[in-house]
Amino acid sequence: MDYIGQTEIINEFRKGIKHDSLSHAFVLTGERGIGKKTLARFIAKALLCTENGDVNLPCGYCRACKGFDENVNPNFKVIRSDTKNIVIKQIRDLIDDIGVRPLKGRKVYVIEDAEKMTVQAQNCLLKTLEEPPVYAKIILTTSNYESLLLTIRSRVIRKNLKPCTINELKLIAQKKEIDLTGKEYILSLSRGIPGIALQLLADKDFEEIRNETLKFLFDVNISSKLYFNQYLSKNKNAFDVCLSVMESVYRDALLVRCSLEDGLINSDKKDNILKYANMHSTIDITEKISRLEKVRNNMMRNMNYQLAVDIITMV
Ligand SMILES: [Zn+2]
């Protein structure tokens, strides 16, 4: 298993492991779908790898790595919740477990979606986070860093994941054996977020949703605007694709307004994009992008769906 992307963060960890100079607690932050949990596991595996030769960690063949891949490495624990909260009991179990010294090497704990910890759970974790046993490392992941208690934030080193390049997305798709023939442009719609790219590639209704969204944007007829509002109201699962397509058109229109027409995502719709860019000012388009970003963020906080539809279909 090799991790694709985030080379800067991985190199920092590899260097830190080699010199045994790493801090004891980290938080991996970044948008949902960007690969935080996978990266946390990859780093954990590297931390537990017992190979000391001159290879990139994790080696993948030592006993610790093999055990890790089979989910039986006793020095690795994941704390997570499929429901709303990570509760204090789960943190107490972590504290009990962390006190038990491993036979050799390190122990690594990953707390997934750390923002799910209740305030009590976060408070319970504080002391351990500040001063865990020397052999222990704790890695938190969250797409909502600001919602963690300040006292938690001040005790962990933050590593923010960057969007992937198109090339990295291609490699990720290849690794998952996805045929990209004729679909490569879909990768550009994902803003470098692998989770979104994979979701768009897997969506069999992608073409239909894209066409409906483009019709809404390019057709000046007011009835098509109303129609699209109703279409989205009835098709909640079309919303994410629609947002990605809208954003890509807005960004394309901005490029046109800056005379950078070569980098268009929707190059197959160039004529429409040119017309759209002529009809809208740069300020107008920038406002549309920030409106869309606000809706995207609020949707994560359970914004009312119809309200979201009404906002993004505002003319
Ligand atoms: Zn290894």
Side-chain angles (χ1 to χ4, degrees):
M1 168 181 95
D2 211 358
Y3 189 92
I4 297 161
Q6 313 303 338
T7 40
E8 212 173 289
I9 298 180
I10 290 175
N11 287 340
E12 278 172 19
F13 272 99
R14 281 183 174 147
K15 216 163 123 191
I17 294 171
K18 200 171 172 188
H19 300 290
D20 200 17
S21 59
L22 284 181
S23 174
H24 48 265
F26 298 87
V27 59
L28 304 180
T29 62
E31 254 187 82
R32 202 190 296 175
I34 203 160
K36 300 178 293 295
K37 290 171 194 168
T38 319
L39 181 61
R41 283 168 190 265
F42 185 75
I43 293 167
K45 188 176 169 185
L47 280 162
L48 295 168
C49 175
T50 52
E51 169 65 50
N52 19 342
D54 206 9
V55 293
N56 274 341
L57 301 182
C59 75
Y61 51 75
C62 73
R63 210 172 144 202
C65 282
K66 289 235 159 85
F68 191 94
D69 289 341
E70 286 159 20
N71 269 329
V72 293
N73 189 317
N75 296 326
F76 176 62
K77 297 259 156 48
V78 177
I79 293 88
R80 59 198 290 271
S81 169
D82 290 328
T83 53
K84 210 168 158 225
N85 291 326
I86 294 174
V87 294
I88 195 163
K89 162 89 171 61
Q90 290 172 278
I91 302 301
R92 285 198 181 120
D93 289 347
L94 180 158
I95 294 171
D96 285 345
D97 192 87
I98 212 169
V100 182
R101 181 176 279 276
L103 291 175
K104 66 174 190 180
R106 300 189 176 93
K107 284 179 111 171
V108 183
Y109 299 82
V110 170
I111 305 180
E112 291 184 349
D113 300 317
E115 77 283 356
K116 283 187 174 177
M117 282 189 286
T118 61
V119 171
Q120 292 88 332
Q122 292 188 56
N123 279 323
C124 179
L125 181 66
L126 282 181
K127 201 174 164 295
T128 308
L129 209 50
E130 190 163 59
E131 232 178 318
V134 283
Y135 49 79
K137 304 280 177 205
I138 303 171
I139 304 171
L140 279 54
T141 76
T142 181
S143 46
N144 197 354
Y145 176 71
E146 273 70 30
S147 74
L148 291 175
L149 290 182
L150 207 60
T151 41
I152 292 275
R153 281 187 262 161
S154 64
R155 284 166 171 81
V156 292
I157 308 249
R158 181 181 185 185
K159 301 282 177 194
N160 194 38
L161 280 71
K162 287 199 189 111
C164 291
T165 62
I166 292 290
N167 213 19
E168 287 165 350
L169 292 176
K170 270 188 205 164
L171 290 173
I172 292 169
Q174 273 166 17
K175 199 174 156 189
K176 299 203 175 275
E177 295 175 358
I178 295 169
D179 181 15
L180 286 176
T181 318
K183 291 182 183 171
E184 279 195 21
Y185 76 98
I186 295 181
L187 299 178
S188 324
L189 294 172
S190 67
R191 294 176 293 117
I193 318 275
I196 295 182
L198 295 173
Q199 194 189 339
L200 295 180
L201 286 167
D203 195 329
K204 59 181 178 20
D205 299 324
F206 176 82
E207 283 300 332
E208 181 200 306
I209 303 168
R210 177 177 187 243
N211 288 336
E212 292 295 344
T213 310
L214 293 177
K215 233 188 276 170
F216 160 76
L217 290 169
F218 297 147
D219 188 348
V220 286
N221 195 331
I222 195 79
S223 67
S224 73
K225 312 284 180 200
L226 288 171
Y227 168 79
F228 188 62
N229 183 299
Q230 286 161 2
Y231 170 78
L232 281 183
S233 301
K234 278 183 263 167
N235 296 285
K236 195 172 176 182
N237 52 2
F239 195 72
D240 281 345
V241 173
C242 157
L243 283 191
S244 298
V245 172
M246 279 179 126
E247 190 172 26
S248 72
V249 169
Y250 296 151
R251 297 207 179 269
D252 279 352
L254 279 184
L255 285 182
V256 170
R257 292 195 66 84
C258 302
S259 307
L260 294 165
E261 290 157 29
D262 287 344
L264 296 188
I265 295 172
N266 301 284
S267 49
D268 57 329
K269 304 285 175 193
K270 193 170 174 184
D271 290 349
N272 295 96
I273 301 272
L274 291 178
K275 226 189 273 171
Y276 187 89
N278 275 330
M279 284 168 59
H280 297 83
S281 70
T282 304
I283 294 178
D284 190 13
I285 300 168
T286 317
E287 267 172 18
K288 284 177 192 292
I289 292 176
S290 67
R291 199 160 73 194
L292 200 138
E293 275 166 3
K294 260 184 219 154
V295 168
R296 186 179 273 133
N297 287 334
N298 286 329
M299 284 298 282
M300 280 199 267
R301 300 187 183 96
N302 296 322
M303 179 187 206
N304 175 281
Y305 179 63
Q306 186 54 44
L307 180 63
V309 170
D310 289 345
I311 292 175
I312 65 150
T313 55
M314 257 167 29
V315 185

Coordinates of all heavy atoms in Angstrom, one line a residue, residues 99-179:
G99 N -1.9 3.3 28.7 CA -1.0 3.1 29.8 C -0.3 1.8 29.8 O 0.7 1.6 30.5
V100 N -0.8 0.9 29.0 CA -0.1 -0.4 28.9 C 1.0 -0.4 27.9 O 0.8 -0.2 26.7 CB -1.1 -1.5 28.5 CG1 -0.5 -2.9 28.4 CG2 -2.3 -1.5 29.4
R101 N 2.2 -0.6 28.4 CA 3.4 -0.4 27.6 C 3.5 -1.6 26.5 O 3.2 -2.7 26.8 CB 4.7 -0.5 28.5 CG 6.0 -0.4 27.8 CD 7.1 -0.4 28.8 NE 7.3 0.9 29.4 CZ 8.1 1.8 28.8 NH1 8.7 1.6 27.7 NH2 8.2 3.0 29.4
P102 N 3.8 -1.2 25.2 CA 3.9 -2.3 24.2 C 5.1 -3.2 24.4 O 6.1 -2.7 25.1 CB 4.0 -1.5 22.9 CG 4.7 -0.2 23.3 CD 4.2 0.1 24.7
L103 N 5.1 -4.4 23.9 CA 6.3 -5.3 24.1 C 7.5 -4.6 23.4 O 8.6 -4.7 24.0 CB 6.0 -6.6 23.4 CG 4.9 -7.5 24.2 CD1 4.6 -8.7 23.4 CD2 5.4 -7.8 25.6
K104 N 7.3 -4.0 22.3 CA 8.3 -3.2 21.7 C 7.7 -2.2 20.7 O 6.6 -2.3 20.3 CB 9.4 -4.0 21.0 CG 9.0 -4.8 19.8 CD 10.2 -5.4 19.2 CE 9.9 -6.0 17.8 NZ 10.9 -6.6 17.1
G105 N 8.5 -1.2 20.4 CA 8.0 -0.2 19.4 C 7.0 0.8 20.0 O 7.0 1.0 21.2
R106 N 6.2 1.4 19.1 CA 5.3 2.4 19.5 C 3.8 1.9 19.6 O 3.5 0.7 19.2 CB 5.3 3.5 18.5 CG 6.6 4.2 18.3 CD 6.4 5.5 17.4 NE 7.6 6.2 17.3 CZ 8.5 6.1 16.3 NH1 8.2 5.2 15.4 NH2 9.6 6.8 16.3
K107 N 3.0 2.7 20.1 CA 1.5 2.5 20.0 C 0.9 3.7 19.3 O 1.3 4.9 19.6 CB 0.9 2.4 21.4 CG 1.2 1.0 22.0 CD 0.5 0.9 23.4 CE -0.6 0.0 23.4 NZ -1.1 -0.3 24.8
V108 N 0.0 3.5 18.4 CA -0.6 4.6 17.7 C -2.1 4.6 17.8 O -2.8 3.5 17.6 CB -0.2 4.6 16.2 CG1 -0.8 5.8 15.5 CG2 1.3 4.6 16.0
Y109 N -2.7 5.8 18.1 CA -4.1 5.9 18.2 C -4.6 6.9 17.2 O -4.1 8.0 17.1 CB -4.5 6.4 19.7 CG -4.1 5.4 20.7 CD1 -2.8 5.3 21.2 CD2 -5.0 4.4 21.2 CE1 -2.4 4.4 22.1 CE2 -4.6 3.5 22.1 CZ -3.3 3.5 22.6 OH -2.9 2.5 23.5
V110 N -5.7 6.5 16.5 CA -6.3 7.5 15.5 C -7.7 7.8 16.0 O -8.5 6.9 16.2 CB -6.3 6.9 14.1 CG1 -7.1 7.8 13.2 CG2 -4.9 6.8 13.5
I111 N -8.0 9.1 16.2 CA -9.4 9.5 16.5 C -10.0 10.1 15.2 O -9.6 11.2 14.8 CB -9.4 10.4 17.7 CG1 -8.7 9.8 18.9 CG2 -10.9 10.8 18.0 CD1 -8.7 10.7 20.1
E112 N -10.9 9.3 14.6 CA -11.5 9.8 13.3 C -12.6 10.7 13.6 O -13.4 10.5 14.5 CB -12.0 8.6 12.5 CG -10.9 7.7 12.0 CD -11.4 6.6 11.1 OE1 -12.6 6.3 11.1 OE2 -10.5 5.9 10.5
D113 N -12.7 11.7 12.7 CA -13.8 12.8 12.9 C -13.8 13.3 14.3 O -14.8 13.2 15.0 CB -15.2 12.2 12.5 CG -15.2 11.7 11.1 OD1 -14.7 12.5 10.2 OD2 -15.8 10.7 10.8
A114 N -12.7 13.8 14.8 CA -12.5 14.1 16.2 C -13.5 15.2 16.6 O -13.8 15.3 17.8 CB -11.1 14.7 16.4
E115 N -14.1 15.9 15.7 CA -15.1 16.9 16.1 C -16.3 16.2 16.7 O -17.2 16.9 17.3 CB -15.5 17.8 14.9 CG -16.4 17.2 13.9 CD -15.7 16.3 12.9 OE1 -14.5 16.1 13.0 OE2 -16.4 15.7 12.1
K116 N -16.5 14.9 16.5 CA -17.6 14.2 17.1 C -17.4 14.0 18.5 O -18.4 13.5 19.2 CB -17.8 12.8 16.3 CG -18.4 12.9 15.0 CD -18.6 11.5 14.5 CE -19.4 11.5 13.2 NZ -19.5 10.1 12.7
M117 N -16.2 14.2 19.1 CA -16.1 14.1 20.5 C -17.0 15.0 21.3 O -17.0 16.2 21.0 CB -14.6 14.3 20.9 CG -13.7 13.2 20.6 SD -12.0 13.5 21.4 CE -11.4 14.7 20.3
T118 N -17.6 14.6 22.3 CA -18.4 15.5 23.1 C -17.4 16.4 23.9 O -16.2 16.1 24.0 CB -19.3 14.7 24.1 OG1 -18.4 14.0 25.0 CG2 -20.3 13.8 23.5
V119 N -18.0 17.5 24.4 CA -17.1 18.4 25.2 C -16.4 17.6 26.4 O -15.2 17.7 26.6 CB -17.9 19.6 25.7 CG1 -17.1 20.4 26.7 CG2 -18.3 20.4 24.6
Q120 N -17.2 16.7 27.0 CA -16.7 15.9 28.1 C -15.6 15.0 27.6 O -14.5 14.8 28.3 CB -17.8 15.0 28.8 CG -18.9 15.8 29.5 CD -20.0 16.2 28.6 OE1 -19.8 16.4 27.4 NE2 -21.2 16.4 29.2
A121 N -15.8 14.4 26.4 CA -14.8 13.5 25.9 C -13.5 14.3 25.6 O -12.4 13.8 25.8 CB -15.3 12.8 24.6
Q122 N -13.7 15.4 25.0 CA -12.5 16.3 24.7 C -11.7 16.7 26.0 O -10.5 16.6 26.0 CB -12.9 17.5 23.9 CG -13.5 17.3 22.5 CD -13.7 18.5 21.7 OE1 -12.8 19.3 21.5 NE2 -14.9 18.7 21.2
N123 N -12.5 17.1 27.0 CA -11.8 17.4 28.2 C -11.1 16.2 28.9 O -10.0 16.4 29.4 CB -12.9 18.0 29.2 CG -13.1 19.5 28.9 OD1 -12.2 20.2 28.5 ND2 -14.4 19.9 29.0
C124 N -11.7 15.1 28.7 CA -11.1 13.9 29.3 C -9.8 13.5 28.6 O -8.9 13.0 29.2 CB -12.2 12.7 29.1 SG -11.6 11.2 29.7
L125 N -9.7 13.9 27.3 CA -8.5 13.6 26.5 C -7.3 14.5 26.8 O -6.2 14.1 26.6 CB -8.9 13.6 25.0 CG -7.8 13.3 24.0 CD1 -7.4 11.8 24.1 CD2 -8.3 13.5 22.6
L126 N -7.6 15.7 27.3 CA -6.6 16.8 27.4 C -5.3 16.3 28.0 O -4.2 16.5 27.4 CB -7.2 17.9 28.2 CG -8.2 18.9 27.5 CD1 -8.6 20.0 28.4 CD2 -7.5 19.4 26.2
K127 N -5.4 15.7 29.2 CA -4.1 15.4 29.9 C -3.3 14.4 29.1 O -2.0 14.6 28.9 CB -4.4 14.9 31.3 CG -3.3 15.0 32.2 CD -3.6 14.6 33.7 CE -2.4 14.4 34.5 NZ -1.6 13.3 34.0
T128 N -3.9 13.4 28.6 CA -3.2 12.4 27.8 C -2.6 13.0 26.5 O -1.5 12.7 26.1 CB -4.2 11.3 27.4 OG1 -4.8 10.8 28.6 CG2 -3.5 10.1 26.7
L129 N -3.4 14.0 25.9 CA -2.9 14.6 24.7 C -1.7 15.4 25.0 O -0.8 15.6 24.1 CB -4.1 15.5 24.2 CG -4.2 15.7 22.7 CD1 -4.1 14.4 21.9 CD2 -5.4 16.5 22.4
E130 N -1.6 16.0 26.2 CA -0.5 16.9 26.5 C 0.7 16.0 26.8 O 1.8 16.4 26.4 CB -0.9 17.7 27.7 CG 0.2 18.8 28.0 CD -0.4 19.9 28.9 OE1 -0.8 19.5 30.0 OE2 -0.5 21.0 28.4
E131 N 0.5 14.9 27.5 CA 1.7 14.2 28.0 C 1.4 12.7 27.9 O 1.3 12.0 28.9 CB 1.9 14.5 29.5 CG 3.4 15.0 29.7 CD 3.6 15.4 31.1 OE1 2.7 16.0 31.7 OE2 4.6 14.9 31.7
P132 N 1.3 12.2 26.7 CA 1.1 10.7 26.6 C 2.4 10.0 26.9 O 3.5 10.6 27.0 CB 0.8 10.5 25.1 CG 1.4 11.7 24.4 CD 1.5 12.8 25.4
P133 N 2.4 8.7 27.2 CA 3.6 7.9 27.4 C 4.5 8.1 26.2 O 4.0 8.3 25.1 CB 3.2 6.5 27.5 CG 1.7 6.5 27.8 CD 1.2 7.8 27.2
V134 N 5.8 8.0 26.4 CA 6.8 8.3 25.3 C 6.6 7.4 24.1 O 6.9 7.8 23.0 CB 8.3 8.1 25.8 CG1 8.7 9.3 26.6 CG2 8.5 6.8 26.5
Y135 N 6.1 6.2 24.3 CA 5.9 5.3 23.1 C 4.7 5.6 22.3 O 4.4 4.9 21.3 CB 5.9 3.8 23.6 CG 5.0 3.6 24.8 CD1 3.6 3.4 24.6 CD2 5.4 3.5 26.1 CE1 2.7 3.2 25.6 CE2 4.6 3.3 27.1 CZ 3.2 3.2 26.9 OH 2.3 3.0 27.9
A136 N 3.8 6.5 22.8 CA 2.5 6.7 22.1 C 2.4 7.9 21.2 O 3.0 8.9 21.5 CB 1.4 6.7 23.2
K137 N 1.7 7.7 20.1 CA 1.4 8.9 19.2 C -0.1 8.9 19.0 O -0.8 7.8 18.9 CB 2.1 8.7 17.9 CG 3.6 8.5 17.9 CD 4.3 9.9 18.1 CE 5.8 9.7 18.2 NZ 6.4 10.7 18.9
I138 N -0.7 10.1 19.0 CA -2.1 10.2 18.8 C -2.4 11.1 17.5 O -1.8 12.2 17.4 CB -2.8 10.9 20.0 CG1 -2.5 10.0 21.3 CG2 -4.3 11.0 19.8 CD1 -3.0 10.7 22.6
I139 N -3.2 10.6 16.6 CA -3.5 11.3 15.4 C -5.0 11.6 15.3 O -5.8 10.6 15.3 CB -3.0 10.6 14.1 CG1 -1.6 10.2 14.2 CG2 -3.3 11.4 12.9 CD1 -1.1 9.3 13.1
L140 N -5.4 12.8 15.3 CA -6.8 13.2 15.1 C -7.1 13.5 13.7 O -6.2 14.0 13.0 CB -7.2 14.4 16.0 CG -7.4 14.3 17.5 CD1 -6.3 13.5 18.2 CD2 -7.7 15.6 18.1
T141 N -8.3 13.2 13.2 CA -8.6 13.8 11.9 C -9.9 14.6 12.0 O -10.8 14.2 12.8 CB -8.9 12.6 10.8 OG1 -10.1 12.0 11.1 CG2 -7.8 11.6 10.8
T142 N -10.1 15.6 11.2 CA -11.3 16.4 11.3 C -11.5 17.3 10.0 O -10.5 17.8 9.5 CB -11.4 17.3 12.5 OG1 -12.7 18.0 12.5 CG2 -10.3 18.3 12.6
S143 N -12.7 17.4 9.5 CA -12.9 18.3 8.5 C -13.6 19.6 9.1 O -14.0 20.5 8.4 CB -13.9 17.7 7.4 OG -14.9 17.1 8.0
N144 N -13.6 19.7 10.4 CA -14.2 20.8 11.1 C -13.3 21.2 12.2 O -13.7 21.2 13.4 CB -15.6 20.5 11.5 CG -16.4 21.7 11.8 OD1 -15.9 22.8 11.8 ND2 -17.7 21.5 12.1
Y145 N -12.1 21.6 11.9 CA -11.0 21.9 12.9 C -11.5 23.0 13.9 O -11.3 22.8 15.1 CB -9.8 22.5 12.2 CG -8.7 22.9 13.0 CD1 -7.9 22.0 13.7 CD2 -8.3 24.3 13.1 CE1 -6.8 22.4 14.5 CE2 -7.3 24.7 13.9 CZ -6.5 23.8 14.6 OH -5.5 24.2 15.4
E146 N -12.2 24.0 13.4 CA -12.6 25.1 14.3 C -13.6 24.7 15.4 O -13.7 25.3 16.4 CB -13.3 26.2 13.5 CG -12.3 27.3 13.0 CD -11.4 26.7 11.8 OE1 -11.9 25.8 11.1 OE2 -10.3 27.1 11.7
S147 N -14.2 23.5 15.2 CA -15.2 23.1 16.2 C -14.6 22.4 17.4 O -15.2 22.0 18.4 CB -16.3 22.3 15.6 OG -15.9 21.0 15.3
L148 N -13.3 22.1 17.2 CA -12.6 21.4 18.4 C -12.3 22.5 19.5 O -12.1 23.6 19.2 CB -11.2 20.8 17.9 CG -11.3 19.6 17.0 CD1 -9.8 19.3 16.5 CD2 -11.9 18.4 17.6
L149 N -12.3 22.0 20.7 CA -12.0 23.0 21.8 C -10.6 23.6 21.6 O -9.7 22.9 21.1 CB -12.0 22.2 23.1 CG -13.3 21.7 23.7 CD1 -13.1 21.1 25.1 CD2 -14.3 22.9 23.8
L150 N -10.5 24.8 22.0 CA -9.2 25.5 21.8 C -8.1 24.8 22.6 O -7.0 24.7 22.1 CB -9.4 26.9 22.4 CG -8.5 28.0 21.8 CD1 -8.7 28.2 20.3 CD2 -8.7 29.3 22.5
T151 N -8.5 24.2 23.7 CA -7.5 23.5 24.5 C -7.0 22.3 23.8 O -5.8 21.9 24.0 CB -8.1 23.1 25.9 OG1 -9.4 22.7 25.7 CG2 -8.1 24.3 26.9
I152 N -7.8 21.6 23.0 CA -7.4 20.5 22.2 C -6.5 21.0 21.1 O -5.4 20.5 20.9 CB -8.6 19.8 21.6 CG1 -9.5 19.1 22.6 CG2 -8.1 18.8 20.5 CD1 -9.0 17.7 23.0
R153 N -6.9 22.1 20.4 CA -6.2 22.6 19.3 C -4.8 23.0 19.7 O -3.8 22.9 18.9 CB -6.9 23.8 18.7 CG -8.1 23.3 17.8 CD -8.7 24.5 17.1 NE -9.9 25.0 17.8 CZ -10.4 26.3 17.6 NH1 -9.8 27.1 16.8 NH2 -11.4 26.6 18.2
S154 N -4.6 23.5 20.9 CA -3.3 24.1 21.3 C -2.4 22.9 21.7 O -1.2 23.1 21.9 CB -3.5 25.0 22.4 OG -4.0 24.3 23.6
R155 N -2.9 21.7 21.8 CA -2.0 20.6 22.2 C -1.6 19.7 21.0 O -1.0 18.6 21.2 CB -2.7 19.7 23.3 CG -2.7 20.4 24.6 CD -3.7 19.7 25.6 NE -3.5 20.2 26.9 CZ -4.1 21.3 27.4 NH1 -4.7 22.1 26.6 NH2 -3.9 21.6 28.7
V156 N -2.1 20.0 19.8 CA -1.8 19.1 18.7 C -1.1 19.9 17.6 O -1.4 21.1 17.4 CB -3.1 18.4 18.1 CG1 -3.6 17.4 19.1 CG2 -4.1 19.4 17.8
I157 N -0.3 19.2 16.8 CA 0.3 19.9 15.6 C -0.6 19.7 14.4 O -1.0 18.5 14.1 CB 1.7 19.2 15.3 CG1 2.5 19.2 16.6 CG2 2.3 19.9 14.1 CD1 3.7 20.1 16.6
R158 N -1.0 20.8 13.8 CA -1.9 20.7 12.7 C -1.2 20.4 11.3 O -0.2 21.1 11.0 CB -2.7 21.9 12.6 CG -3.8 21.9 11.5 CD -4.6 23.2 11.4 NE -5.6 23.1 10.5 CZ -6.4 24.1 10.1 NH1 -6.3 25.3 10.7 NH2 -7.4 23.9 9.2
K159 N -1.7 19.5 10.6 CA -1.2 19.2 9.2 C -2.5 19.3 8.3 O -3.4 18.5 8.4 CB -0.6 17.9 9.1 CG 0.6 17.6 10.0 CD 1.8 18.3 9.5 CE 3.0 18.1 10.4 NZ 4.1 19.0 10.1
N160 N -2.5 20.3 7.4 CA -3.6 20.5 6.6 C -3.4 19.9 5.2 O -2.4 20.2 4.5 CB -3.9 22.0 6.4 CG -5.2 22.3 5.8 OD1 -6.2 21.6 6.1 ND2 -5.3 23.3 5.0
L161 N -4.3 19.0 4.8 CA -4.1 18.3 3.5 C -4.4 19.2 2.3 O -5.4 20.0 2.4 CB -5.0 17.0 3.4 CG -4.4 15.8 4.2 CD1 -4.5 16.0 5.7 CD2 -5.2 14.5 3.8
K162 N -3.6 19.1 1.3 CA -3.8 19.9 0.1 C -4.6 19.2 -1.0 O -4.5 18.0 -1.0 CB -2.4 20.3 -0.5 CG -1.7 21.3 0.3 CD -0.6 21.9 -0.6 CE 0.4 22.8 0.3 NZ 1.7 22.2 0.4
P163 N -5.3 19.9 -1.8 CA -6.0 19.2 -2.9 C -5.0 18.5 -3.8 O -3.8 18.9 -3.9 CB -6.6 20.4 -3.7 CG -6.7 21.5 -2.8 CD -5.6 21.4 -1.8
C164 N -5.4 17.4 -4.4 CA -4.5 16.6 -5.2 C -4.4 17.2 -6.6 O -5.3 17.9 -7.1 CB -5.1 15.2 -5.4 SG -5.0 14.2 -3.9
T165 N -3.3 16.9 -7.3 CA -3.2 17.4 -8.7 C -4.0 16.4 -9.5 O -4.4 15.3 -9.1 CB -1.7 17.3 -9.1 OG1 -1.3 15.9 -9.0 CG2 -0.8 18.1 -8.3
I166 N -4.2 16.8 -10.8 CA -5.0 16.0 -11.7 C -4.3 14.6 -11.9 O -4.9 13.6 -11.9 CB -5.2 16.6 -13.1 CG1 -6.1 17.9 -12.9 CG2 -5.7 15.7 -14.1 CD1 -7.5 17.5 -12.7
N167 N -2.9 14.7 -12.0 CA -2.2 13.5 -12.1 C -2.3 12.5 -10.9 O -2.5 11.3 -11.1 CB -0.7 13.9 -12.3 CG 0.0 12.9 -13.2 OD1 -0.7 12.2 -14.0 ND2 1.3 12.9 -13.1
E168 N -2.3 13.1 -9.7 CA -2.5 12.2 -8.6 C -3.9 11.6 -8.6 O -4.1 10.4 -8.2 CB -2.3 13.1 -7.3 CG -0.8 13.4 -7.0 CD -0.6 14.5 -6.0 OE1 -1.6 15.2 -5.6 OE2 0.5 14.7 -5.6
L169 N -4.9 12.4 -9.0 CA -6.3 11.9 -9.1 C -6.3 10.7 -10.1 O -7.0 9.7 -9.8 CB -7.3 12.9 -9.5 CG -7.5 14.1 -8.5 CD1 -8.5 15.1 -9.1 CD2 -8.1 13.5 -7.2
K170 N -5.6 10.9 -11.2 CA -5.6 9.8 -12.2 C -5.0 8.5 -11.6 O -5.5 7.4 -11.8 CB -4.7 10.2 -13.4 CG -5.4 11.0 -14.5 CD -4.5 11.2 -15.7 CE -5.0 12.4 -16.4 NZ -4.0 12.9 -17.4
L171 N -3.9 8.7 -10.8 CA -3.2 7.5 -10.2 C -4.2 6.9 -9.2 O -4.3 5.6 -9.1 CB -2.0 8.0 -9.5 CG -0.8 8.4 -10.4 CD1 0.3 8.9 -9.6 CD2 -0.3 7.2 -11.2
I172 N -4.9 7.7 -8.5 CA -5.9 7.1 -7.5 C -7.0 6.3 -8.2 O -7.3 5.2 -7.8 CB -6.5 8.3 -6.6 CG1 -5.4 8.9 -5.7 CG2 -7.7 7.7 -5.8 CD1 -5.8 10.1 -5.0
A173 N -7.5 6.9 -9.3 CA -8.5 6.2 -10.1 C -8.0 4.9 -10.7 O -8.6 3.9 -10.6 CB -9.1 7.1 -11.2
Q174 N -6.7 5.0 -11.2 CA -6.1 3.8 -11.7 C -6.0 2.7 -10.7 O -6.2 1.5 -10.9 CB -4.7 4.1 -12.3 CG -4.8 4.6 -13.7 CD -3.4 5.2 -14.1 OE1 -2.4 5.0 -13.5 NE2 -3.5 6.0 -15.2
K175 N -5.5 3.1 -9.5 CA -5.3 2.1 -8.4 C -6.7 1.4 -8.1 O -6.7 0.3 -7.7 CB -4.8 2.9 -7.2 CG -4.2 2.0 -6.2 CD -3.6 2.9 -5.1 CE -3.4 2.2 -3.8 NZ -3.0 3.0 -2.7
K176 N -7.8 2.2 -8.3 CA -9.1 1.6 -8.0 C -9.7 0.9 -9.3 O -10.8 0.6 -9.3 CB -10.0 2.6 -7.5 CG -9.6 3.2 -6.1 CD -10.7 3.8 -5.3 CE -10.2 4.3 -4.0 NZ -10.2 3.2 -3.0
E177 N -8.8 0.8 -10.3 CA -9.2 0.1 -11.6 C -10.4 0.8 -12.2 O -11.3 0.1 -12.7 CB -9.3 -1.4 -11.3 CG -8.0 -2.0 -10.9 CD -8.1 -3.5 -10.6 OE1 -9.3 -4.0 -10.6 OE2 -7.1 -4.1 -10.3
I178 N -10.4 2.1 -12.2 CA -11.5 2.8 -12.8 C -11.1 3.2 -14.2 O -10.0 3.8 -14.4 CB -11.9 4.0 -12.0 CG1 -12.5 3.6 -10.7 CG2 -13.0 4.9 -12.8 CD1 -12.6 4.7 -9.7
D179 N -11.9 2.9 -15.2 CA -11.6 3.3 -16.6 C -11.9 4.7 -16.8 O -13.1 5.2 -16.7 CB -12.4 2.4 -17.6 CG -12.1 2.7 -19.0 OD1 -11.1 3.4 -19.3 OD2 -12.9 2.3 -19.9

